[in-house]
């Protein structure tokens, strides 16, 4: 019998054996991939149970091992150290499992038996501003998580929560009415208009008052105001679509749910919260003070739902968002891919929504935070003039830099060269972002991200292209071929290949794409060692060539599928 996630299957069997030893039901995963030489998987459950059962961990481990049925999958477990259970997979099982992967488009990864309906908020740029490097991480991380969750069998509903409402548009529209510039206006023009409007708003009190009044007109549905607002939105969404296309992001106009979308629901949000006894009037504003949130002085922190001028802030919109997706769209999960500084805001929003009954026991809401993109000086990435780096410029530069990486490849047509340069350049930016723990800042370095060595997408893409070249040179029908593991490097590669489901599961469940990146890099390194030590095209011995070609082909399929789950293409030639 074959299994997808081996650690999960071993864990299930350990739990079954444990039931004969004690009535304690462990909650966490039990068996993990081992980094120890000669050991494939390891379980430390006995050590965590020692104190609770009042017995030496090694004694508990021995009792579990005596009841453990793994003969079809692994050798008898070894009890090691203070009470580890060490597992080594049977060679015959590993050969069968690896051979079977060749006919499985999912490479052993099963879909979840409990699919969820997940709304994921990511990218979310501001209208009337060019997308900049600050929008990069939310867009790339969100897209990768959405891909991983879909692959895992969940229903994923992306929503691009555009910043298209509120005070910025009051001041921008008021500025346009003052200046009446001739149109139509490109996104670069709007960027300049916004900066001018902001400067006036900060220095001209009369303009600031008129801007706030304009916000109320906008939110009240004044048609003249709405007409100007729609022009801003239309031009901005055209710009966003161009950036998404270049970046290879799966967001479309159908996924746009801007702040304006929730405007019709804001009054009802206030009414519902008031009816539930959750609101208070503070300095003329309608607020909710969720439990356990206090400022540095120990005073309760407010979530302002309606401002004293009658307008609504983004807190009201975020509350309306939760209410809409759980009450009207029937989602079970709400994920917000937004920078780490917003952690407290979302914690307060979720607390209020639970108190209001919009988030119930069956719902999950999670803020998926991330760090900042830094320049090589260790500071937030800016242009030389101190402005945010435009995302379109960054992506264009990535393709240009990648063109230099493949310089001299005269065997590629201009069209193919352009396609390959885009795959390398955009892939390098995505992978540099995704390969580190998302919660940490990372330094943006062209030299490092475009390197053919180390944990980069370029290294993986080149490894994959080389494998495909070997397979093309062999030009061999592998129907009926079987994996034979006669060399330690062959076994190491087979072991890496069957762990694909575990890597995908860890990345999807924890919303941690870097776990998949790490797996893909380690698998490529293991293949490199295999290729150095085990001749493929010149393999000797019965079935050795077929087996090694099969292992090579499976490695290519694994790298291709894994990179695609990160939104990164795998060119045939580099």
């Amino acid at each position: 019998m074959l299994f997808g996630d081996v650690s999960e299957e071993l864990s299930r069997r350990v739990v079954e054996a444990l039931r004969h030893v004690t009535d304690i039901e462990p909650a966490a995963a039990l068996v993990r991939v081992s980094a120890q030489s000669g050991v494939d998987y390891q379980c430390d459950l006995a050590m965590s149970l020692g104190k609770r059962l009042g017995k030496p961990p090694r004694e508990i481990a021995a009792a579990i091992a005596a009841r453990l049925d793994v003969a079809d999958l692994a050798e008898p477990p070894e009890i090691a150290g203070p009470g580890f259970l060490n597992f080594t997979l049977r060679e015959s099982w590993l050969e069968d499992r690896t051979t079977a992967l060749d006919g499985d488009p999912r490479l052993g990864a099963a879909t979840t038996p409990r699919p969820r309906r997940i709304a994921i908020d990511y990218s979310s740029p501001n209208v009337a501003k060019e997308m900049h490097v600050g929008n990069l991480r939310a867009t790339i991380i969100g897209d990768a998580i959405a891909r991983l969750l879909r692959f895992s069998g969940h229903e994923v509903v992306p929503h691009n929560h555009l910043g298209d409402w509120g005070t910025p548009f009051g001041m921008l529209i008021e500025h346009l009415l003052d200046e009446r510039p001739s149109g139509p206006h490109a996104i670069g023009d709007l960027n300049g208009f916004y900066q001018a409007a902001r400067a006036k708003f900060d220095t001209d009190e009369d303009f600031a008052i008129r801007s706030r009044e304009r916000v109320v007109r906008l939110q009240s549905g004044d048609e003249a105001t709405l007409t100007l607002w729609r022009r801003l939105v239309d031009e901005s969404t055209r710009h966003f679509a161009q950036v998404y296309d270049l970046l290879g992001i799966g967001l479309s106009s159908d996924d746009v749910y801007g702040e304006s979308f929730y405007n019709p629901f804001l009054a009802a949000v206030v009414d519902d919260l008031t009816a539930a006894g959750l609101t208070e009037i503070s300095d003329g504003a309608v607020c909710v003070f969720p439990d356990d949130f206090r400022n540095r002085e120990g005073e309760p922190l407010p979530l302002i739902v309606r401002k004293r001028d009658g307008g609504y802030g983004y807190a009201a919109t975020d509350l309306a968002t939760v209410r809409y997706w759980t009450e009207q769209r029937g989602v079970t999960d709400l994920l917000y891919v937004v920078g780490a500084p917003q952690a407290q805001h979302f914690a307060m929003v979720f607390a209020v929504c639970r108190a209001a009954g919009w988030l119930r026991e069956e719902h999950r809401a999670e803020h998926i935070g991330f760090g900042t993109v830094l320049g090589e000086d260790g500071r937030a990435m800016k242009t030389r003039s101190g402005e945010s780096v435009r995302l379109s410029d960054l992506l264009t530069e990535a393709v240009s830099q990648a063109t230099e990486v493949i310089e001299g490849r005269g065997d590629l047509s201009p069209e193919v060269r352009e396609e390959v340069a885009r795959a390398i350049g955009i892939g390098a930016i995505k992978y540099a972002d995704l390969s580190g723990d998302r919660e940490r800042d990372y330094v943006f370095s062209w030299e490092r991200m475009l390197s053919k060595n180390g944990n980069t997408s370029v290294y993986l893409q080149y490894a994959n292209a080389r494998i495909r070249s070997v397979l093309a040179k062999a030009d061999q029908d592998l129907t009926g071929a079987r994996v034979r593991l006669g060399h330690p490097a062959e076994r190491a590669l087979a072991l890496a290949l069957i762990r694909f489901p575990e890597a995908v599961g860890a990345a999807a469940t924890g919303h941690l794409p870097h776990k998949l990146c790490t797996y893909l890099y380690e698998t490529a390194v293991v293949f490199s060692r295999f290729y150095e030590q085990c001749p493929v095209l010149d393999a000797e011995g019965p079935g050795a060539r077929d087996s090694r070609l099969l292992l090579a082909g499976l490695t290519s399929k694994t790298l291709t599928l894994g990179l695609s789950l990160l939104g990164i293409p795998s060119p045939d030639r580099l």
Side-chain angles (χ1 to χ4, degrees):
M1 187 174 181
L2 301 177
F3 311 100
D5 188 325
V6 178
S7 59
E8 192 175 278
E9 176 61 24
L10 287 171
S11 293
R12 186 189 68 78
R13 298 191 190 195
V14 168
V15 170
E16 186 63 35
L18 183 66
R19 292 195 179 107
H20 296 281
V21 178
T22 176
D23 58 1
I24 293 176
E25 191 78 24
L30 307 170
V31 180
R32 297 173 178 84
V33 171
S34 172
Q36 183 179 333
S37 177
V39 178
D40 298 334
Y41 292 85
Q42 191 170 73
C43 175
D44 61 1
L45 176 64
M47 289 181 289
S48 66
L49 291 175
K51 186 175 291 187
R52 294 174 68 180
L53 294 177
K55 296 179 180 179
R58 283 186 66 92
E59 181 181 324
I60 298 170
I64 293 173
R67 291 284 189 170
L68 199 53
D69 179 14
V70 293
D72 60 323
L73 174 61
E75 302 294 341
E78 176 191 66
I79 301 168
F84 289 108
L85 281 171
N86 289 345
F87 297 92
T88 302
L89 300 179
R90 287 190 180 278
E91 209 85 331
S92 59
W93 184 90
L94 189 54
E95 289 177 342
D96 290 344
R97 179 57 182 153
T98 314
T99 301
L101 290 179
D102 192 50
D104 182 2
R106 295 180 58 84
L107 299 176
T111 55
T112 177
R114 293 176 293 277
R116 310 276 292 178
R117 178 170 165 80
I118 301 171
I120 178 169
D121 173 342
Y122 66 98
S123 190
S124 307
N126 290 319
V127 165
K129 292 183 182 179
E130 289 184 87
M131 290 185 73
H132 54 83
V133 70
N135 301 123
L136 185 67
R137 301 210 71 187
T139 304
I140 290 174
I141 295 170
D143 184 66
I145 291 173
R147 290 170 185 265
L148 285 162
L149 291 172
R150 282 198 192 95
F151 182 77
S152 299
H154 299 288
E155 181 184 0
V156 179
V157 186
H159 56 110
N160 194 356
H161 193 99
L162 299 185
D164 65 352
W165 210 241
T167 301
F169 296 91
M171 67 185 192
L172 181 55
I173 292 170
E174 200 65 23
H175 174 73
L176 292 175
L177 289 171
D178 283 353
E179 302 297 326
R180 298 195 179 277
S182 57
H185 307 300
I187 188 66
D189 299 326
L190 299 184
N191 219 43
F193 295 155
Y194 179 85
Q195 292 171 356
R198 169 54 70 180
K200 285 169 64 176
F201 186 85
D202 292 340
T203 58
D204 185 337
E205 182 60 27
D206 175 66
F207 178 78
I209 292 171
R210 287 189 287 118
S211 296
R212 295 189 187 99
E213 292 172 348
R214 182 64 60 181
V215 174
V216 176
R217 291 185 192 178
L218 177 64
Q219 293 178 338
S220 301
D222 177 68
E223 190 53 43
T225 303
L226 284 171
T227 297
L228 280 171
W229 170 80
R230 291 189 190 102
R231 292 175 187 169
L232 299 175
V233 173
D234 289 346
E235 174 54 34
S236 297
T237 51
R238 278 194 291 271
H239 164 67
F240 300 153
Q242 291 171 352
V243 173
Y244 294 145
D245 180 63
L246 182 57
L247 197 51
I249 297 297
L251 285 173
S252 71
S253 57
D254 293 338
D255 304 317
V256 170
Y257 291 85
E259 293 174 352
S260 61
F261 174 83
Y262 302 100
N263 186 59
F265 309 121
L266 300 183
V269 165
V270 177
D271 292 344
D272 285 359
L273 294 174
T274 302
L278 297 172
T279 59
E280 297 180 31
I281 304 299
S282 178
D283 196 22
V286 178
C287 302
V288 179
F289 291 84
D291 294 338
D292 303 323
F293 289 93
R294 297 185 178 276
N295 61 20
R296 292 179 180 177
E297 288 72 39
E299 300 167 335
L301 274 177
L303 203 63
I304 301 174
V305 185
R306 187 170 62 207
K307 295 180 284 188
R308 61 182 174 180
D309 63 3
Y312 299 92
Y314 60 85
T317 304
D318 287 339
L319 292 168
T321 300
V322 175
R323 180 177 179 269
Y324 169 77
W325 286 97
T326 58
E327 299 289 303
Q328 297 192 35
R329 296 294 294 274
V331 303
T332 57
D333 298 56
L334 282 162
L335 305 180
Y336 294 82
V337 185
V338 183
Q342 294 299 314
Q344 184 181 68
H345 168 74
F346 280 107
M348 293 177 72
V349 167
F350 298 157
V352 171
C353 288
R354 290 188 191 97
W358 301 328
L359 285 176
R360 297 180 293 278
E361 188 175 342
E362 67 268 23
H363 295 123
R364 298 176 192 162
E366 182 179 350
H367 168 224
I368 299 174
F370 53 84
T372 303
V373 182
L374 305 177
E376 295 197 64
D377 59 359
R379 299 178 180 179
M381 194 173 178
K382 301 282 186 180
T383 64
R384 289 183 180 177
S385 61
E387 298 176 347
S388 293
V389 177
R390 296 192 305 176
L391 193 48
S392 57
D393 290 346
L394 189 72
L395 301 180
T396 300
E397 177 66 14
V399 177
S400 175
Q401 294 265 358
T403 301
E404 296 181 14
V405 172
I406 58 173
E407 195 69 41
R409 288 299 306 271
D411 57 328
L412 300 179
S413 68
E415 294 79 10
V416 172
R417 284 173 61 83
E418 182 178 347
E419 182 181 342
V420 169
R422 175 169 167 169
I424 292 176
I426 302 302
I429 285 181
K430 286 187 173 185
Y431 194 87
D433 193 304
L434 297 171
S435 58
D437 187 331
R438 58 172 166 77
E439 295 184 359
R440 298 178 181 174
D441 300 341
Y442 82 93
V443 175
F444 192 98
S445 166
W446 289 118
E447 182 179 358
R448 183 165 61 249
M449 68 175 56
L450 287 167
S451 174
K452 297 178 184 178
N453 300 306
N455 189 12
T456 68
S457 63
V458 184
Y459 174 78
L460 297 178
Q461 288 169 325
Y462 266 92
N464 198 12
R466 284 196 297 270
I467 295 171
R468 290 178 180 174
S469 175
V470 170
L471 296 172
K473 193 176 295 184
D475 191 23
Q476 188 164 328
D477 182 7
L478 296 175
T479 302
R482 290 189 55 77
V483 169
R484 301 295 182 194
L485 304 177
H487 190 284
E490 292 174 314
R491 188 184 190 281
L493 181 56
L495 190 60
L497 293 172
I498 69 160
R499 288 175 172 168
F500 177 74
E502 293 159 337
V504 171
T509 303
H511 310 134
L512 298 170
H514 76 276
K515 290 185 175 292
L516 178 57
C517 295
T518 300
Y519 164 79
L520 294 175
Y521 172 64
E522 290 176 349
T523 299
V525 169
V526 170
F527 175 83
S528 179
R529 296 187 190 125
F530 156 81
Y531 192 69
E532 289 172 0
Q533 299 175 30
C534 302
V536 176
L537 296 178
D538 298 325
E540 298 178 357
R545 178 182 163 104
D546 284 4
S547 174
R548 291 175 181 176
L549 284 170
L550 195 57
L551 286 170
L554 284 169
T555 304
S556 176
K557 291 177 181 178
T558 301
L559 295 178
T560 301
L561 179 54
L563 286 171
S564 75
L565 294 176
L566 302 171
I568 298 173
S570 301
D572 288 330
R573 294 186 294 162
L574 270 77

